[in-house]
Amino acid sequence: MPPWHDRVVTHNGSTGDAPYLRAARPDDYDAIAAVVDDWWDRPVRSAIPRLFLDFFHRTSLINEDTDGLAGFLIGLLPPDAMDGAYIHFVGVAPRARKRGLARAMYDEFFRMARREGRHNVAAITSPVNATSIAFHRSLGFAVRGPVPDYNGPDSDMMVFGRPL
Ligand SMILES: CC(C)(COP(=O)(O)OP(=O)(O)OC[C@H]1O[C@@H](n2cnc3c(N)ncnc32)[C@H](O)[C@@H]1OP(=O)(O)O)[C@@H](O)C(=O)NCCC(=O)NCCS
């Protein structure tokens, strides 16, 4: 049974173009791959290969509005860290930012992870991504880093964690 039993997780019916949140599907990959370099303003697509949507869609979220993809979250419930959950990527379209969409996706992921028996959540980001660092701080994550060579030589990362 998928972590989200119903496709549509939440729906704000107050306006016709309100974004809604649903569990991801493998065929969401192409829409994500088409926009990520623009949304991040740097090449990041190689960090989101298709395998994440093929094999982790049940723990990932898609946010859509009338213009198409408005946001996505790629999350995992790792089999080798039974107490933990991990958020690999979150992105919101520039047109939809600063309206609480990323926070809503994180909150929904947290609820699902708690239901599945997970007690903490982790994520990482590049030290240059000040927006991501501010976003994670604002959601109550402890911030560690830059951790030198986290992802191999010359790949320092910021490491986030918080209880669920
Ligand atoms: C980071 C990102 C996902 C935030 O999405 P968002 O939907 O705009 O974020 P929210 O509206 O839910 O913001 C939640 C909180 O994060 C913080 N925040 C969000 N954007 C911020 C910014 N540009 N600068 C500083 N703080 C910010 C704020 O504290 C905000 O709370 P507030 O609105 O009550 O002040 C979005 O800017 C994005 O997609 N950036 C490019 C991709 C990226 O860097 N992803 C993260 C790394 S994987």
Side-chain angles (χ1 to χ4, degrees), residues 101-135:
L101 289 193
R103 186 190 292 278
M105 290 191 285
Y106 266 54
D107 285 345
E108 186 54 44
F109 182 82
F110 294 167
R111 275 192 289 276
M112 179 279 291
R114 275 186 220 111
R115 277 201 309 271
E116 298 296 313
R118 308 295 169 131
H119 296 108
N120 55 73
V121 57
I124 61 171
T125 207
S126 160
V128 302
N129 197 337
T131 303
S132 175
I133 296 166
F135 169 73

Side-chain angles (χ1 to χ4, degrees), residues 36 38-42 44 48 70-72 87-94 96-106 123-126 129-139 160:
V36 285
D38 283 344
W39 288 12
W40 265 252
D41 210 19
R42 59 195 165 93
V44 296
I48 316 179
F72 69 92
I87 296 176
H88 178 55
F89 259 66
V90 62
V92 170
R97 285 185 190 160
K98 299 268 204 167
R99 287 197 247 141
L101 289 193
R103 186 190 292 278
M105 290 191 285
Y106 266 54
I124 61 171
T125 207
S126 160
N129 197 337
T131 303
S132 175
I133 296 166
F135 169 73
H136 284 90
R137 267 193 217 288
S138 108
L139 267 77
F160 307 127

Side-chain angles (χ1 to χ4, degrees), residues 124-128 145-159:
I124 61 171
T125 207
S126 160
V128 302
V147 179
D149 301 338
Y150 181 90
N151 270 339
D154 301 324
S155 186
D156 304 352
M157 296 302 282
M158 305 300 291
V159 178

